[in-house]
Amino acid sequence: MAGTSKASLFGGAITVDLPTNFADVSDIRQVPDNQEVYLARDGLTSIIFDLTERVAAADAATDEEALTFQLKDVVDNRDEIKIYSLCPSHLAHNPTSAPVHYAFATATPPRELAPDVRTPVFTALLVAIVRLEAQATDLVITVNVPHVRDSYDEDEVDLSMGRSGPLIDDAKHIHETVMETLEIKDWGLFGEQAA
């Protein structure tokens, strides 16, 4: 993985260390105000920070169900989702002790899209949800790793056998760095003065 540098998200309200080979997508196209998106300059991997309305208890009774709800919102509704792991996680700088959960999943497009060489064979998704109850917000952090034909060695990837390959291994390092360095600096982002 490339070195990292501090990135300011949402006008500096949140900071995080990101790989230096990732570019802020808002420099080239419009991004919704509730999102920050970074894309690898030398690949297809992206990192999305998404501030969403907290999933209501009526839609998700547990934090794990809230993560699954958010995961389904991240992918194309035609894609088949397979969740390989879903577990509690941590955020190193978490002054509110907000619940944090992590999922590793894949999204596979419908077979009718498979002949298109630009369509991923599958996309690996490393998704974390930080449940900010007092702020009525879920912070959803997604590392997307599209696996397009000829962009990876298919023999190195067999998720059912625990072989993730170098693209996913790099994404795991990115996810770990994000979870260790992400820090909310200005709680006013959520309409509050302090946590």
Side-chain angles (χ1 to χ4, degrees):
M1 187 176 86
T4 62
S5 63
K6 188 73 64 187
S8 293
L9 310 178
F10 305 105
I14 298 176
T15 60
V16 66
D17 291 354
L18 296 177
T20 55
N21 65 326
F22 276 67
D24 184 343
V25 171
S26 68
D27 290 342
I28 55 173
R29 71 169 175 84
Q30 191 166 354
V31 174
D33 290 343
N34 67 310
Q35 290 184 348
E36 294 280 354
V37 181
Y38 287 79
L39 180 64
R41 289 183 177 98
D42 56 356
L44 300 173
T45 299
S46 64
I47 307 167
I48 302 172
F49 300 88
D50 199 0
L51 295 172
T52 67
E53 183 176 340
R54 184 177 162 88
V55 176
D59 294 319
T62 67
D63 294 331
E64 291 86 357
E65 288 177 9
L67 176 54
T68 301
F69 182 94
Q70 295 285 14
L71 176 63
K72 289 177 181 174
D73 194 47
V74 167
V75 301
D76 186 309
N77 63 1
R78 298 174 298 166
D79 289 358
E80 176 187 330
I81 300 171
K82 182 170 182 180
I83 298 174
Y84 289 87
S85 66
L86 179 65
C87 58
S89 187
H90 78 285
L91 189 63
H93 304 283
N94 188 355
T96 64
S97 299
V100 181
H101 284 77
Y102 165 80
F104 174 71
T106 57
T108 304
R111 291 193 187 276
E112 63 268 15
L113 297 179
D116 187 342
V117 296
R118 296 166 301 193
T119 301
V121 175
F122 71 94
T123 299
L125 303 160
L126 293 81
V127 184
I129 186 171
V130 182
R131 314 259 8 243
L132 300 167
E133 184 175 4
Q135 293 76 25
T137 301
D138 285 334
L139 169 57
V140 182
I141 304 161
T142 308
V143 181
N144 295 292
V145 190
H147 283 67
V148 177
R149 282 174 189 74
D150 300 326
S151 71
Y152 71 103
D153 183 345
E154 292 183 35
D155 293 333
E156 292 181 339
V157 180
D158 185 345
L159 297 174
S160 63
M161 297 299 290
R163 292 195 324 264
S164 55
L167 294 176
I168 295 172
D169 289 344
D170 285 348
K172 288 177 182 177
H173 291 296
I174 292 167
H175 173 79
E176 290 167 7
T177 299
V178 166
M179 300 308 285
E180 289 298 321
T181 63
L182 187 134
E183 190 170 359
I184 299 172
K185 299 284 193 175
D186 180 3
W187 289 89
L189 175 65
F190 309 101
E192 299 184 0
Q193 294 303 319

